Amino acid sequence: MMRKLTIRHFVGLITLSLFLLISLSASAQTRQISGNVTSVDGPLPGATVMIKGTTTGVVTDPKGSFKLAVPANGTLVISILGYDSQELVIGAANTYEVKLAANVSALNEVVVVGYGTTKRKDLTGSVSSVTAEQVAKVPVTALDQALQGRSSGVQVTNNDGAPGSGVTVLIRGVGSLGSNEPLYVVDGYPITGGLNNINPNDIASMDILKDASATAIYGVRASNGVVIITTKKGRRDGVEVALDAYTSVQSEPKKYKVLNAEQWATLANKTPGFDRLPEWANPSALQNVNWQDEVYRSGVRQNYNLAVRGGGEKVQSSFSAGYFDQKGVVTGSYFKRINLGLNIDYDATKWLKSSSTAKYSRQNANNPFGTGALATLSELIPTIGGNKLTNKAKDENGNYGFYDPVNTYTRGWNNPLYTIESQDSKNLTNYFLGTTSLEATLFEGLKIKTNLGINTTDYSGYYFMPSDTRSLDQYGVASPNILNIYSQSANNTFEWLWENTVSYSKTFGEHAVDFVGGISQQRNEFRQVGGNGNALISDAIRDLSQVKNLVAFGNQQTFTLASQFARLNYKFMDRYLITATVRRDGSSKFFKGNQYGVFPSGSVAWRAKEESFLKDVNFLSDLKLRASYGEVGNQAGIRPFQYLARYSSGGPATSPINVGYPFGGAYQDGLAYVNLDNQRLTWETSRQTDIGVDAAFLNGDLSLTVDYYRKDSKDFLLQIPTASQSGVTNSAQNAGSIRNQGFEFALNYKHTENDFTYGVGLNVTTVKNKLLSITQNTSFIGNLVNLTTPANGWLQFSRTGIGQAVGEFYGYKSVGIFQTQAEIDALNAKAPRGNYQGNSSQKTQPGDRKFRDVTGDGQITADDRTSLGSPIPKFYGGVNLDLAYKGFDFNAFFYGSYGNKIFNYQARNLESFQAPSFVGIQNVSEVYYKNSWSPTNPSNRYARVNYNDDVSANNVASSIYVEDGSYLRLRNVTLGYTLPSNVAKKLTMSRVRMYLAAQNLFTITKYSGLDPEIGQPTGTDPNNNNASSNNATASGVDVGTYPSSRFFTLGLNVTF
Amino acid sequence: MKNKKYLYILAVGLIVLTPFSCKKGFLNQTDSSNPTAQALFNKPADGIALVNAIYDTYQNADLLKKSLWYYANFQTHDFFNWGNDRFYNTYAIPSTFGGIQVFWQRAYIGIARANSAIEILKTMKVKGVLNEALANRLTGEVYFLRGMTYYYLASSFGGVPLELSNGANDGLKPRNSQTEVFTQVEADLKLAAELLPWKEEYGASDLGRATKGAALGYLGASQMWLKKYAEALVNFNQLNGKYSLMPRFIDIHEYNKENNAESIFEVQFIIAGTQSWGGGNEVAWIGSFGMPEEVSNFGYDYGNKILYDGFQAGDLRKEASIIGPGDVHPSPAIIAKGGIKSYPLVIAGFASTDAAVKAKYTGVDGKIINTCGTVARPWVGTDNAIPRSGYYSTKMWRDPTLDGNSGVSNIFGAQNQILLRYGEILLSKAECQARTGDNAGALATLKVLRDRAFGGTAPVVFMSEGKVITDPLQMVYHDYRHELTGEYSTFYNLRRAGVATSFVKEVYNITIPRGRELYPIPQYEIGLNPNLVPNDGY
């Protein structure tokens, strides 16, 4: 009681102060006017009609009518929750008809939650929504990219700028050391991968379930958040034909400033210790090859989408066809996709209806450098004299240059243009997602529903590289004969889902109950086959039966989920809300007895605005307080059957991983114990607390959502390195725990005044990520993924200790460059083994990088490595500006990240004259060339140039490569013009809009590399046969990936 | 109409309310890609395959070459590395060196395979899947392989953790002492010697399997580590008549004389698939990486001239072990192939228009070269910063099908690697004899080897490094080197005798830093098992 009074007092004070601020002047000369306030649905009772700048006003009666005494000059402000407020200049007339437009972003907006929908005002959990309009604003290839900057709590980072390449989506921080990918549910179907097959143009809305209350209905798959995607349905009234098309031109990316042939050869001639080619003696005569220019080009992206949506009372259908074609900025890279979609809703009877969706896509993509290898372009020696026919990358006769195949220091390099243009490859994917449901209303409020879905993906691809005898022809046996190689593979995933639910909603006086419960089964079968070999008799053949040294593979795997779930919403007096959710999930990934988990959650909300003491507080349009707690799981990080001890024959005699052995000159099969049995393996668990406030002001024009979250995740499913004494090098374990906590703010303002509409949206999320524990025998975890590129000195670049943020960079503290031998001698004199740094065979010299003796033992050892910063931002967010005036619309969208560090591995490469990990030399950056240490140029930043940087160890992972990765990017800016409707009508169209858009126009950053947007670069997983992989312990490392560049788009939206 | 409605309701209701297809097995999937214990071990072949997989751990270049061979030969300073592993030249092997990490890993993987096989073989025998003879032989092989693996671990690292049982294993045991490990080796090999058949009792298709002879050989060696010289002698003597010396020293490592009468245990290789990069693990690059760069484009290992010069005049083992400028390759197989002049790089180099290249491949007679460089122009490689010595191992350079990174790029070869041969047994025996006071016996044993070395009758005076040696033990040490250099034994035997540091000091005037006789415990493993204590000196 006491508390209630206090709140009342407080509110009263605020109200009073507002009164004081507002001018109380009232005119003496008044007259009476009257009017009606309506919406498309009819009269609007309860709307407030105020005289602007005063406190005078009335509320409309049950028929939507009002009467008011007004001054001679003035403006009426008409507002009501759920509708855009309107201002009206008082003229001579005495009656006014006001039609208000519904405000879709307000509280009556329907939010899709698992197995049902709810109104935003009734939500007790934390859910952000992204609308079709927002998705349409930035042209994207895949849906996850469209999430960037649109929702608080969701961090989206493009891993690289290649067409169709991956995106890292983190909902509320890094919650796992394994998989951090959210669950995507498309039209009620929880998909397993393949998100980039969904056509972004088909999206009606994306609802992001963030807290445990919202996600718990998805149980063991929910701990990384859930994104519910709903596609556009047909309409009930008539037909709409929509054509959306755009074409974008993508500019060439920024390039690294590296040396030209003359500079490079000059440098090579100054650097002793390796074999030179005679022609380098005359640098100015060399043909320069700028590899970045040779391989980069401008890109083109086209997207066409045609949709027919319509229907009547009984049947509504939506058909769409899309074509997306992107030619990337790297020669040979492309991403093409054809989409067909069909949604049919059929209300068979008053009580029976069905809803079906079908989505087909065919995708063809190629990315010649894969991910990460693009850095090679800046490292290739800029002169290429090996081919006696040409010293160009490619000459007029179609001859490609190659590097001298005899010289040890150049023969490791290849002409990438030759590789790209001579290879033949295809990566085709056919994708189908179909769902159909039947729902019966048994009686008012009680519905039963069965939902069936299938999802199938077929991939088939091949890669061919022709034989290459060019260097053999010109240099004879001294150079290797390169055989053609061919590989072909195909795989198929087939998955089905069957779910049955019962739902019941009922209002009893002040009480409202909404219940849904159901059961679900899902089964996923995967099968693949493939092979590779070489030495085909002709370069025209693409047939595995014609290869020599065939290595074939083929396997299959099934996993299943069986679940029961229920959710109960209870609402009292439309203001006290309680939600309780539970899901029991069984997964075949675990051993009997550990298969089933129960995931409960509960939440409460209080719509304070409905209370009598706030009802009349006009500046506050809405206020809701929320709190939730719950437990959800994650099983994505592990392959099936890790709980079984397994024996493997490892393949035939020809396989590099066979475990057999020859006796008497003939191979005999082996059978080896290959992994530990761990029957205790179980899912990862995350427990999350969320406290949130939703508030709206200024008649709903301004809305604010603030959430505090704390997510404790544990028992990560990891294939972790295990001491070899166990007999395996790694084993599947549940290990570790992490806490993520922070605040999310979402602020939106939108106002319409006459023809002018403007809006600002801002969302900011803070993240504090902390490793709480790892396994019992270690206090840290290193990077679980290695860099794909040769990484001498960079095998370990991240290490997360207890209390640190996941993926903290790890290496030596660089403290400048040794300037004099005396400086080195002084340190050596004090060193226990006579060497402060380096060793007896590799003496440190002036010009070498100097590292800090962190342990203080007088020498630099591996123990002197230390934490160098975190790739996790302190906060990130998006800013959205919308302006519309008459036919014009303008949108600017910024995305930014603050406080994260980048480990600039590529800078290391550009400061290494030696090709890391190889016997070979490479190109370096101009900055390094001009500033590298020499006795006459005593740099304290750039080490001396030498041909064996691997040994000098100047370029090992150290603080010199750690940079501030904060940035603010103008992600998108759009200017659109919609033809006046009468003009459009003359063209037999109902709406015609043209727009110009630019993506990535500018980026504000201190980062020295090409692009500060660095997610989790694809690396290799040493614990999984070096399969390519992304991991949170290996994020924020710039390996010189495909940078984002600018897109300029011209688009057209036409509706008939 | 009304009826129809209820029919619908009934139909839909049934679907929802019946827990559909909730078969018990819905969540119980079978792993069809990886055999598990339930699907296996019901036929004898599975038992054999389990044992084969333990041998397989030795088909690994990091284990065999970068760990055992490097240790045996780089640690003595008889051979060097030109490539990335140059730190051996200064005994500065980093604890992060990948080669020894793989060695440790492969060794323990093999031990785990052995431990799991011991239990499974027991069950298979009880179930009658394996008859007693096969079960005993297979069990004997398992104990042999486990014992031998611990033998090399303890010889290289000192004490290592003893893992002797199967099952969920956290891999966190601390190190046992070197003596404890050798005691276990002795026990394993005694058991193996009881269970295993002699070499001649095996069929031809089982050639290469562990034998009673091999078990006795390693048993004796492990007893020498434990200083049980008398017992070792007894075990060595059991090999009398079971093995014999090849009449010509050069033939021991000939490519077409694998598994010969002198060989006691050798790691088997065959050609399976490509002999180039990406080939199976039945082949290895052990051979071609030590061939001169002028022949192979590799030249990663090269010999020490002091080793070459230290042989007594007339010792035929010299050119069969190391050749230098002006020497013709002595291998009958290479001679049959056409000699050095038949290598593609040599032919191309002689045909080169580049005078410097041509000179390198021109013999003293002005014709295409058929020697390992010439005195005037030794083959020191193209890396002027770190020239090779011009001397190369001829025990490694035997497989005539290899041409390294040139021609058809046959890099990987199928030459078996002899880990233990009767010649070494005789030397070990001589050491035991000398140590048990039987100097005459020791000299007699040595004479057998020396007579072969000199092609019939050895000179009475024993010379090495230009010095006359009269002490029988010193003779054994010097012959560990001259007999076994370039194989897998020399430094192990010197350390076993307790003279490694003093011998290297005597021959090369190089002091091995304190503690550096041993390999460092791999840093990676210390990271995973904090109970592992690093070796003193690292």
Side-chain angles (χ1 to χ4, degrees), chain B residues 419-458:
Chain B
L419 294 188
L420 185 64
R421 61 182 173 89
Y422 192 53
E424 179 174 350
I425 296 289
L426 291 182
L427 278 173
S428 296
K429 181 179 162 181
E431 185 184 333
C432 291
Q433 287 169 315
R435 286 190 186 274
T436 50
D438 181 9
N439 278 345
L443 290 172
T445 307
L446 278 174
K447 183 172 172 4
V448 179
L449 280 170
R450 279 176 55 80
D451 283 349
R452 174 178 68 173
F454 287 86
T457 309

Side-chain angles (χ1 to χ4, degrees), chain A residues 292-353:
Chain A
Q292 296 180 91
D293 287 350
E294 296 289 345
V295 172
Y296 286 129
R297 61 182 180 187
S298 7
V300 180
R301 182 173 62 177
Q302 299 171 73
N303 184 47
Y304 303 97
N305 209 69
L306 178 70
V308 183
R309 299 190 178 95
E313 279 308 310
K314 287 246 166 199
V315 182
Q316 303 93 43
S317 72
S318 166
F319 165 80
S320 73
Y323 176 69
F324 181 91
D325 183 348
Q326 181 174 359
K327 190 181 98 172
V329 293
V330 166
T331 298
S333 70
Y334 59 84
F335 183 89
K336 293 176 186 180
R337 183 177 62 208
I338 296 167
N339 282 101
L340 293 176
L342 181 64
N343 288 358
I344 294 182
D345 296 277
Y346 176 42
D347 299 359
T349 67
K350 272 189 175 158
W351 56 274
L352 185 66
K353 63 178 190 177

Side-chain angles (χ1 to χ4, degrees), chain B residues 100-137:
Chain B
I100 55 166
Q101 161 59 22
V102 175
F103 169 30
W104 180 281
Q105 199 175 79
R106 295 287 291 188
Y108 275 103
I109 284 173
I111 287 163
R113 288 177 185 178
N115 289 337
S116 83
I118 289 170
E119 294 304 314
I120 295 166
L121 292 172
K122 232 180 248 171
T123 315
M124 291 175 83
K125 188 178 166 188
V126 170
K127 282 188 180 165
V129 178
L130 294 176
N131 65 39
E132 183 159 358
L134 183 56
N136 284 350
R137 188 202 93 195

Side-chain angles (χ1 to χ4, degrees), chain A residues 275 521 560 658 661 664 724-725, chain B residues 20 26 207 268 382 525 529:
Chain A
D275 291 345
Q521 280 190 308
T560 50
N658 76 55
Y661 192 82
S724 304
Q725 286 165 252
Chain B
F20 60 87
F26 188 71
L207 188 64
Q268 310 282 312
T382 54
E525 297 292 340
N529 177 6

Side-chain angles (χ1 to χ4, degrees), chain A residues 348-405:
Chain A
T349 67
K350 272 189 175 158
W351 56 274
L352 185 66
K353 63 178 190 177
S354 77
S355 182
S356 303
T357 70
K359 292 174 188 63
Y360 167 78
S361 114
R362 179 176 171 86
Q363 212 182 80
N364 182 11
N366 196 31
N367 189 3
F369 281 89
T371 311
L374 203 59
T376 313
L377 291 183
S378 53
E379 294 155 13
L380 285 168
I381 298 169
T383 168
I384 184 171
N387 190 337
K388 291 168 181 168
L389 302 173
T390 182
N391 54 11
K392 293 179 178 168
K394 184 183 185 181
D395 73 5
E396 302 70 26
N397 301 319
N399 291 311
Y400 293 91
F402 54 76
Y403 286 97
D404 186 299

Side-chain angles (χ1 to χ4, degrees), chain A residues 399-699:
Chain A
N399 291 311
Y400 293 91
F402 54 76
Y403 286 97
D404 186 299
V406 180
N407 181 293
T408 315
Y409 294 85
T410 62
R411 66 185 175 203
W413 292 113
N414 291 310
N415 176 347
L417 200 63
Y418 168 78
T419 311
I420 296 170
E421 293 186 352
S422 52
Q423 73 185 22
D424 174 18
S425 72
K426 204 153 239 180
N427 298 292
L428 278 175
T429 306
N430 280 303
Y431 177 90
F432 183 79
L433 173 65
T435 63
T436 184
S437 70
L438 194 62
E439 183 181 80
T441 307
L442 297 186
F443 52 81
E444 179 68 33
L446 181 69
K447 289 174 179 168
I448 54 174
K449 183 177 177 182
T450 183
N451 184 30
L452 275 166
I454 59 155
N455 187 193
T456 173
T457 308
D458 276 284
Y459 165 83
S460 97
Y462 69 84
Y463 176 86
F464 180 83
M465 193 68 207
S467 52
D468 180 6
T469 58
R470 296 173 304 154
S471 81
L472 188 71
D473 294 344
Q474 295 175 36
Y475 290 84
V477 285
S479 63
N481 175 22
I482 299 166
L483 300 172
N484 53 21
I485 56 170
Y486 180 58
S487 70
Q488 187 179 345
S489 72
N491 64 56
N492 167 263
T493 307
F494 179 81
E495 188 177 78
W496 61 253
L497 169 81
W498 192 12
E499 295 181 321
N500 292 329
T501 53
V502 181
S503 63
Y504 182 67
S505 347
K506 179 82 179 169
T507 307
F508 316 88
E510 300 270 50
H511 309 270
V513 173
D514 192 1
F515 169 84
V516 63
I519 53 177
S520 166
Q521 280 190 308
Q522 197 162 358
R523 180 184 164 95
N524 182 301
E525 279 180 39
F526 172 79
R527 206 156 285 139
Q528 67 172 347
V529 63
N532 60 70
N534 61 11
L536 291 95
I537 198 153
S538 150
D539 283 346
I541 292 172
R542 306 281 182 276
D543 185 336
L544 278 180
S545 69
Q546 302 292 317
V547 304
K548 281 185 189 148
N549 306 313
L550 174 69
V551 176
F553 63 89
N555 54 59
Q556 46 189 306
Q557 169 176 296
T558 302
F559 67 85
T560 50
L561 271 175
S563 324
Q564 299 95 44
F565 51 87
R567 178 177 58 220
L568 179 68
N569 291 316
Y570 169 72
K571 182 163 70 170
F572 178 59
M573 291 176 73
D574 212 27
R575 69 192 73 155
Y576 306 110
L577 306 157
I578 297 177
T579 304
T581 310
V582 65
R583 182 166 178 131
R584 179 171 178 265
D585 258 330
S587 167
S588 67
K589 286 188 173 179
F590 307 112
F591 187 64
K592 274 182 224 174
N594 278 338
Q595 286 174 329
Y596 278 97
V598 176
F599 303 94
S601 83
S603 54
V604 291
W606 176 38
R607 296 195 57 211
K609 173 66 182 171
E610 297 296 314
E611 300 288 353
S612 55
F613 57 88
L614 281 181
K615 201 111 198 175
D616 300 325
V617 180
N618 289 326
F619 76 94
L620 189 69
S621 327
D622 191 44
L623 178 67
K624 184 166 76 175
L625 306 173
R626 293 177 278 107
S628 76
Y629 178 78
E631 183 176 309
V632 283
N634 183 7
Q635 60 154 13
I638 197 166
R639 287 167 291 141
F641 307 113
Q642 299 297 302
Y643 60 85
L644 286 173
R646 294 193 315 235
Y647 295 82
S648 171
S649 65
T654 48
S655 156
I657 54 160
N658 76 55
V659 297
Y661 192 82
F663 293 104
Y667 182 78
Q668 293 191 14
D669 283 330
L671 197 54
Y673 172 74
V674 288
N675 79 327
L676 289 179
D677 51 336
N678 182 357
Q679 297 178 349
R680 294 163 302 190
L681 273 192
T682 184
W683 52 87
E684 303 176 5
T685 304
S686 120
R687 296 197 175 99
Q688 192 178 170
T689 308
D690 183 286
I691 296 167
V693 182
D694 300 302
F697 309 89
L698 307 174
N699 299 314

